[in-house]
Each structure stands twice: as structure tokens, then as C-alpha cells.
Amino acid sequence: MRSSIWRLTRRLQDRSAFYAPSQAWVCRGCQQRLNSTTTSTNEPITVQEHQYETDEWTNAPAQILSSVSRRLHLQKDHPITITRKIIESRFPGFKTHNSLFPVVTTYQNFDSLGFQPDHPGRSRTDTYYVNKNTVLRTHTSAHQADVFRANESDGYLISADVYRRDAVDRSHYPIFHQMEAALTWDSNSLNGESLAKRVWEDLEALPKNSIEVLDENPTIHPERNPLQQEHKQEDVEAIAAHLKKSLENVVVEIFARAAESSKSTTNNVTEAPLKVRWVEAYFPFTSPSWELEVFWQDEWLEVLGCGVVKQQLLNNAGVPTRSGWAFGIGLERIAMILFNIPDIRLFWSQDPRFLSQFSESAQPLVSRFVPFSKHPACYKDISFWLRSSSAAGGMVKGTTSDFHENDFMELVRDVCGDLVEDVRLTDEFAHPKSGRRSMCYRINYRSLERTLTNEETNGMHERVRQALVEKMGVELR
Ligand code: PHE
């Protein structure tokens, strides 16, 4: 599973964080074989009206590309849309950008944000490439530089579909939705006031709330959360305070509604006061940076990532006199909490039994989702020996292999679509003599909409087994 920039949204949807170093290295042999089934080699790809050349980097499957048009965040009465609108309502005056196209350059997605050339987030095991220089955006931050450059408003919001190769389970789906916000102050429009003073005044005008906030760390820490050399500490103190208050207000809005809807349908919910905490974080495009966690149903949930925008990014975007904050939040995780939706696949359901439960004009707006059925699970195991890398491409023989879990996850999705609820590693060991690695995964076949027949699950499982041999060169046990 991907480890970490996706840190923020990872736990939002329990998705592994995005940017800590991981074992995510490009496994060429594996990828090339996977490509041969996902998109035919060297045929151009058409995404809506745009055409793209393909090359040896291409790994975006047709199934994913064809979902680009769904745009759940714009679908009327969809829970993702309702969640977006609730958050937008907290930022009056911010310009909204809700139709930005998902195919972006690697420059937009990574370089403009200061990602190092060898950053694991760029790996083909984590990211869907259309070609070497073009990806399906992995986060809404991909648009920050462009929107700053357009310089149309002090505050903006971007909501969009984003794409990441990842695990298969109830809180991970290769397409999900994020919302990005930024607010900057232009030093040219302060009329002689200091930036810090203006920001503190603006903060005073924000709605007050009474949630319990744990915030133990200093705003700036020289090693862990440094002040940017272009910034003054007093300005950053003010910007950070404004950012934190704005986000605490978002949390109040969301979690108060969630608590209300769970109270209206369950009697045994004890009403604990809302508690949040600020945790130091790292993103290549903000400093200092934080994550916000909410204490919800007895655990700390990571809800969003944020920070003070890197001045270099603003300078490069042609707005060097601006400075301010940005945050990013994953909408599925919030919607799952708000509406009590147990499985992320449900958001993609076209079943009226799901869709008819939500309405933008309902009173109250948020109610608990009532599961319309629970179809039986069907567990099947698959065990195999990995190829050693020597077989894959002349590397040193031994325990290394070119297997990456995300490739296996994608293969399962490719064969079974949304009929798999989760895929879990249940066993892994190395042969004491040969050093060969063996893996065992348990696949849970379950449809959200109907009961699968034995014949159907057996057939799918067999196709997964065959594809695994053909595309990943493993030896079944
Ligand atoms: N883009 C980051 C992510 O997906 C979140 C983020 C947005 C962090 C804006 C800071 C500022 O993990």
C-alpha cells in the first residue's frame, strides 16, 4: 500500500499518506505487462475531447479513464455534492472552481509544488500516467499555481475528482474527490497596515465556536516546521491562527450535522463535546504545515492537511506580493461520516435505492444512510511465489522481486470491477533456502447491489489467477 503526501487524505479515507519515502520504485517489467491489458500500447488515448499520445509510461486503465466524466461532486443530490456545498458555505466570497480538467502535466501535479525529482509520489506504482509528462491529477493542489496566477480573488476553492493507485477496501477507491482552498493577502492592498494586523482583524470577523482544541506545538519549529526565509514570524503567527480558526469552523459545521443525524436515528449516542487537535505535518508546498484530527466515535481521525503557502510557489505564479494559507480535504471520508455510508464503492452506485436517499433540499440536510441490503461475502485465497528480479530483468538473484502490491490491486479491479469489497495480505514468507518470496492474499467478493452466484465468483477468481500468472509472472501455489 502506498505510504505517504497522500498522508492527509489517506487517513481521511484511510489512505496511506502521500509523501513519506516508501518502497514505491518503478517496476518496469511489471508495468509493461500490465499496460498491455489496460490500454493498448501506443494508441492515443482520448479523454473527453482531448487526445494524448501514449508511451512506455502509460498505465491509466480504460476503466478509470471512462469514469472521468462522472464528476460526482457536480451530480445533483449526490452525497459528495452535498458535502462540497456544506464546506463551500463556510467560505463566503471565495471563488469556486469545480470543473477543472483532471488530466494535468507532471509539472502541474509535482514540479510547480516543489516535489523533488525522485519523490515517491511520482512513481508509476502510485500514480496514473497518461504518458511520461501527463498524469491524472493525484490531488487538487495540482491547480494551485494556475489559480494563483489567474489572480482573480483573494480566496478560492477547488473541488475535483483525483486519482491514485491504491489498495482495494471499503475506504479506498482509485478515484475520489478533494476540496482545496487558499486565502492570500496582497501586501499592496494593506493601506499602510501591517500584514499581521490585517490578518488578526480578519480573524476577529470569523464566526466564533466553542470546540475543544488541542494545539500543543509552537506555530513554528526550526527543524520540524520551519518559518520560510521570506516570511516574518509575526505574519505567519497571524496567518496560522486564521487558518486554524477557519478550519475549526468547517469541522464544527460538519460534525455537528453528523452528530445531529446520528442522534435523530439512534437513542444511545452519548453526546460528547467536539474535540480536535492540530498535528505537525510536512507537505512540499507549505511551511509550516499541519494536519487536523477530530475525535470521532472514540478515535482520532485525520481530516485534512494544510499550511502556509510556500512563497516560492506564489513568486513563480507571478503574485510575489501575496502570502497566505491553503488546505486540502478529502470529501469521501467526510461524506462517509456525515451520512454514515459504510463502503466507498456506494458513491459510484447508480442504484436508485442509494441515490434516492439524499437530497440537497431535504430537512435536515443530512440523514443517516439506511443500507438497502447486505449481500453475503465470499472469501477466496490466492497464494503464489513471486518471480525473483533476476528472472524479471537480470538483477541480483535473491529475495528481491519486482512485485508491487498496487499492481496486484489494480489487476483485481481490472478483472472484477466493483464486485470486490477488499483485498488483504494474509501471509508472506521467504523460502529459507532459495529466498523466494511467497504471498497469500484474501479476496472478499461482494456486490453492493445483488447476491453473486458461486459460478460467478469462481469464474472471477479463476480469471484473477490467470491474469496474475500472465501479467505478473508469478507461480501459483
Ligand atoms: N494536496 C495535499 C494532499 O493531497 C493536501 C494539502 C493541500 C496540504 C493544501 C496542504 C495544502 O495530501
Side-chain angles (χ1 to χ4, degrees):
M1 189 186 298
R2 168 188 5 258
S3 93
S4 170
I5 155 185
W6 317 128
R7 166 138 88 251
L8 140 71
T9 23
R10 160 177 175 54
R11 264 169 262 149
L12 270 191
Q13 313 177 49
D14 270 342
R15 183 175 292 272
S16 64
F18 188 15
Y19 292 133
S22 73
Q23 82 284 41
W25 48 286
V26 178
C27 131
R28 279 304 165 90
C30 234
Q31 281 295 341
Q32 272 155 16
R33 278 184 304 280
L34 282 168
N35 289 348
S36 61
T37 62
T38 50
T39 40
S40 57
T41 30
N42 296 330
E43 290 275 322
I45 286 180
T46 306
V47 187
Q48 302 193 316
E49 64 280 19
H50 305 259
Q51 236 197 36
Y52 301 91
E53 295 303 316
T54 55
D55 57 27
E56 74 282 5
W57 281 76
T58 310
N59 67 352
Q63 215 182 324
I64 297 286
L65 292 167
S66 67
S67 300
V68 158
S69 58
R70 292 283 300 277
R71 309 206 299 176
L72 301 183
H73 65 292
L74 297 179
Q75 195 178 310
K76 189 170 183 309
D77 294 330
H78 195 280
I80 296 293
T81 298
I82 297 176
T83 306
R84 165 177 68 79
K85 290 190 169 178
I86 290 174
I87 302 174
E88 282 175 355
S89 75
R90 276 286 167 190
F91 295 97
F94 279 49
K95 186 175 166 70
T96 54
H97 301 265
N98 293 339
S99 303
L100 297 174
F101 198 60
V103 180
V104 298
T105 60
T106 48
Y107 183 84
Q108 290 171 295
N109 201 79
F110 299 117
D111 304 86
S112 72
L113 295 159
F115 283 73
Q116 294 304 306
D118 60 349
H119 194 285
R122 297 182 188 250
S123 148
R124 289 166 77 245
T125 55
D126 286 22
T127 295
Y128 290 113
Y129 279 82
V130 170
N131 59 41
K132 187 174 191 305
N133 300 315
T134 319
V135 295
L136 290 171
R137 69 182 153 226
T138 59
H139 55 169
T140 41
S141 304
H143 301 289
Q144 270 195 19
D146 296 334
V147 179
F148 281 128
R149 187 171 297 107
N151 199 14
E152 293 168 330
S153 58
D154 292 339
Y156 66 74
L157 292 160
I158 301 168
S159 299
D161 37 332
V162 300
Y163 300 76
R164 295 181 196 173
R165 300 182 85 223
D166 211 332
V168 174
D169 63 40
R170 286 199 284 169
S171 57
H172 291 79
Y173 202 80
I175 315 177
F176 60 105
H177 297 78
Q178 280 188 333
M179 189 158 184
E180 186 98 359
L183 178 63
T184 54
W185 288 263
D186 188 340
S187 61
N188 287 338
S189 57
L190 295 174
N191 305 325
E193 234 179 351
S194 79
L195 174 60
K197 183 157 182 289
R198 170 63 62 85
V199 176
W200 284 114
E201 278 164 17
D202 287 351
L203 190 153
E204 275 308 304
L206 294 175
K208 306 273 177 284
N209 68 62
S210 57
I211 52 171
E212 190 182 330
V213 181
L214 304 172
D215 192 1
E216 290 174 350
N217 293 302
T219 305
I220 290 156
H221 184 282
E223 285 101 43
R224 299 192 310 256
N225 228 355
L227 179 72
Q228 299 172 46
Q229 64 181 32
E230 298 90 336
H231 288 166
K232 284 202 280 194
Q233 170 140 6
E234 56 174 38
D235 295 342
V236 169
E237 291 287 353
I239 291 169
H242 191 282
L243 167 64
K244 288 177 176 176
K245 181 63 76 200
S246 306
L247 285 169
E248 287 156 15
N249 284 339
V250 169
V251 166
V252 168
E253 183 75 40
I254 292 166
F255 286 84
R257 285 178 195 262
E260 209 174 280
S261 78
S262 61
K263 231 183 7 201
S264 64
T265 43
T266 44
N267 309 323
N268 57 352
V269 179
T270 47
E271 214 184 320
L274 197 52
K275 210 165 41 173
V276 301
R277 72 178 179 199
W278 288 101
V279 180
E280 290 173 337
Y282 170 78
F283 300 101
F285 38 96
T286 52
S287 191
S289 310
W290 301 275
E291 282 160 357
L292 179 59
E293 299 185 343
V294 177
F295 198 70
W296 177 251
Q297 293 178 348
D298 290 333
E299 44 171 354
W300 285 104
L301 280 182
E302 194 178 313
V303 187
L304 55 86
C306 63
V308 176
V309 181
K310 284 266 176 90
Q311 203 56 45
Q312 196 59 48
L313 198 164
L314 293 161
N315 296 351
N316 292 344
V319 286
T321 54
R322 289 192 170 274
S323 36
W325 55 249
F327 73 79
I329 188 166
L331 293 176
E332 270 78 357
R333 178 60 176 275
I334 299 293
M336 288 172 90
I337 293 167
L338 259 176
F339 297 96
N340 195 38
I341 294 173
D343 189 312
I344 197 165
R345 290 176 295 164
L346 278 162
F347 292 114
W348 296 88
S349 171
Q350 316 244 29
D351 191 322
R353 290 174 297 176
F354 175 74
L355 293 172
S356 67
Q357 295 197 28
F358 313 97
S359 160
E360 290 169 44
S361 51
Q363 273 316 327
L365 183 57
V366 172
S367 57
R368 280 167 81 83
F369 167 65
V370 183
F372 42 84
S373 52
K374 183 79 178 165
H375 298 285
C378 175
Y379 295 96
K380 286 186 187 294
D381 288 350
I382 185 161
S383 324
F384 49 89
W385 293 108
L386 299 183
R387 268 181 327 172
S388 63
S389 304
S390 51
M395 284 163 70
V396 190
K397 194 172 163 60
T399 53
T400 51
S401 85
D402 60 355
F403 178 83
H404 192 290
E405 188 167 274
N406 284 349
D407 294 337
F408 176 58
M409 297 289 172
E410 184 141 302
L411 182 146
V412 173
R413 283 197 201 275
D414 226 37
V415 174
C416 313
D418 285 357
L419 297 179
V420 168
E421 180 170 294
D422 65 48
V423 178
R424 224 168 275 201
L425 181 67
T426 52
D427 190 30
E428 182 182 11
F429 69 90
H431 190 279
K433 290 214 180 92
S434 67
R436 255 177 122 194
R437 263 166 77 207
S438 161
M439 321 284 281
C440 179
Y441 282 92
R442 178 158 297 169
I443 304 180
N444 175 9
Y445 295 91
R446 189 207 305 259
S447 163
L448 291 164
E449 286 156 6
R450 61 198 172 80
T451 298
L452 300 172
T453 64
N454 281 340
E455 216 180 345
E456 216 174 344
T457 39
N458 289 340
M460 269 189 290
H461 196 64
E462 196 42 48
R463 286 199 298 282
V464 169
R465 287 166 56 88
Q466 277 168 19
L468 196 56
V469 173
E470 279 165 27
K471 314 222 161 72
M472 299 181 79
V474 306
E475 188 188 318
L476 296 174
R477 301 187 53 203

